[in-house]
Amino acid sequence: MDRLEEYAKVEDVPIIQKEGLEFLVNFIKENKVLSILEIGTAIGYSAINMALINEKIKVVTIERDMNMYNEALKNIQDFNLSKQIKVINADALEVNIEDKFDLIFIDGAKAQYIKFFEKYENNLNDKGFIICDNLNFHGLTENPELIKSKNLRALVTKINKFKDYLKNNNNYKTIFYNIGDGISVSRKKQ
Ligand code: SAM
């Protein structure tokens, strides 16, 4: 795992922060999650960590970038997890997945979070959860007016819109955690 963390650091690949990963892993254990759909594989770091929890866990993960996809496949093979993790090389907004999952982990392009949520909630089991990462976006979401770059400000505004969307979504109960880079856990109201 150290090798993957080192690779991510050197190659500047954004992977889930240690604290966020710890939260995610504990959450999966506590809630006995067995099937996971991940949007945004990168090099397979979070998918590998989730699959390593126990061998009954199956992960489907979607990555649009071909280089990341290839790197993820290599890493998953190295960990002998090819039977537990299926990587799909596609844009998550263009591919259709039939299966239903206990957990959907959204960690793709931050500007698209509402679209990911609306598309993939159809793939959620009735008692399932949707977890999203990077909702604090390095602490910038609290003070978007202080951001000088126009593009970055637009992105942070979109993340804040997504947070409002979750808060106002009456079909789900969402809890926000100030852990790692900011994590939300949404559960369908029964
Ligand atoms: N989940 C990974 C981890 O913690 O190890 C990190 C994922 S990284 C933050 C986001 C990844 O999502 C990038 O590799 C990017 O190419 C991919 N991505 C962004 N938008 C996507 C989309 N629409 N469809 C598929 N992949 C996407």
Side-chain angles (χ1 to χ4, degrees), residues 14-16 38-42 44-46 62-65 68 90-93 105 107-110 116 134:
I15 57 171
I16 189 165
E38 177 183 64
I39 315 298
T41 319
Y45 177 73
S46 48
I62 311 173
E63 175 55 57
R64 67 179 172 191
D65 181 288
M68 292 284 181
D91 187 317
L93 292 174
F105 176 45
D107 198 20
K110 311 306 155 206
F116 292 141
N134 302 115

Side-chain angles (χ1 to χ4, degrees), residues 1 6 14 22 42 46 57 61 76 81 84 86 89 93 99 125 167 179 185:
M1 207 56 67
E6 189 57 29
E22 206 176 278
S46 48
I57 293 176
T61 177
I76 290 162
L81 289 170
Q84 276 178 260
K86 179 178 171 192
N89 183 209
L93 292 174
D99 295 340
N125 282 330
K167 284 177 199 158
I179 288 176
V185 177

